[in-house]
Amino acid sequence: MNKKRRIIVILVIIAVIIIASLLTIRLITIRNNKQNKQNEQNVNENIINENEIDSNITSNENNEIETNINQVEENKNESQNTTQNEPITDSEQEVDKQTIQKQETDQEKAINIAKKDWGEDSTVYFSFEGNSNGKYKVCVRKADTTYAIRYYIINIDNGTFEIEE
C-alpha cells in the first residue's frame, strides 16, 4: 500500500503542477488581451485627436486667411479714403514737428531731473515710462537685470518730483 500511496501522491502533485501551469498561461493571455485592447483604444484616441487637431488647424488657417483678406480690404479702403482727403499743409507739418520735439525735450528734462537726484551710477539706466496730466514717470532700472529700483513722478514745469518705490 505504501507504493500505491506514493504513486497517488506523485500523480496528485503532477496534476496540481499541470493545472497551475494552465491557469498561469490563461492569466497571461487574458492580461495580454487587455493590454492589446488598451493599446488599440489609445491608438484610436490618438487618431481621433490628430484628426481634431488637423481640422482645428485647417479651420484656424481659413480664419486667418479670411482675417488677412478683410484687413487688406480695410487697408485698401483706408488708403483710398486718405488719398481723397485734402493734403496736409506745411504749417500743420511744422506744428507736428514742434510738438514731437517738445515732447522729446520734456522727456529728456524729466530723465535729467531723475538722474540729478539719483546721482552718478553706471549700474543703472533711466527709462521714460509715460506721462499723464503734465507729470512724467521715469524709472531707474538695474542695467544687468532691468529690475525696476525706483519710480520718479516728475513735474517738469516746476522741477519737482515724487518718489515711488
Side-chain angles (χ1 to χ4, degrees):
M1 261 223 223
N2 223 357
K3 216 175 189 182
K4 283 185 181 181
R5 276 190 189 170
R6 282 186 184 170
I7 293 175
I8 292 175
V9 169
I10 291 174
L11 288 176
V12 169
I13 291 174
I14 291 174
V16 168
I17 291 173
I18 291 173
I19 292 172
S21 298
L22 291 174
L23 288 176
T24 304
I25 291 171
R26 180 68 181 148
L27 286 174
I28 290 172
T29 40
I30 290 173
R31 189 195 309 151
N32 286 342
N33 287 341
K34 282 184 181 179
Q35 285 179 346
N36 287 341
K37 285 181 184 179
Q38 285 178 343
N39 288 341
E40 285 178 20
Q41 281 181 331
N42 290 340
V43 167
N44 289 339
E45 288 175 7
N46 286 341
I47 290 171
I48 290 170
N49 288 339
E50 287 175 4
N51 289 339
E52 288 175 3
I53 290 171
D54 287 342
S55 67
N56 286 341
I57 289 172
T58 304
S59 168
N60 288 341
E61 287 174 350
N62 290 339
N63 289 342
E64 286 178 20
I65 290 171
E66 288 177 19
T67 302
N68 289 339
I69 290 171
N70 290 338
Q71 287 176 348
V72 168
E73 288 175 359
E74 288 174 11
N75 290 341
K76 183 179 175 183
N77 290 339
E78 287 177 10
S79 66
Q80 288 174 350
N81 289 343
T82 55
T83 55
Q84 293 172 355
N85 293 341
E86 295 179 18
I88 298 173
T89 63
D90 289 338
S91 63
E92 289 175 347
Q93 288 177 350
E94 275 301 314
V95 170
D96 290 340
K97 284 182 186 178
Q98 289 174 355
T99 304
I100 290 170
Q101 289 172 349
K102 182 180 184 304
Q103 285 176 348
E104 288 175 1
T105 58
D106 289 348
Q107 291 174 11
E108 291 170 4
K109 285 179 188 177
I111 289 174
N112 287 333
I113 291 171
K115 281 182 181 180
K116 185 177 178 183
D117 181 67
W118 184 264
E120 183 118 2
D121 189 350
S122 62
T123 63
V124 299
Y125 69 94
F126 298 84
S127 66
F128 177 73
E129 302 289 319
N131 67 345
S132 175
N133 299 330
K135 293 186 178 183
Y136 291 77
K137 190 171 190 177
V138 175
C139 182
V140 181
R141 296 183 178 274
K142 285 190 174 186
D144 55 350
T145 63
T146 70
Y147 173 75
I149 300 170
R150 179 181 291 170
Y151 289 96
Y152 286 91
I153 308 300
I154 301 170
N155 184 339
I156 62 166
D157 293 333
N158 58 17
T160 59
F161 60 86
E162 298 172 23
I163 297 176
E164 289 183 6
E165 299 214 26

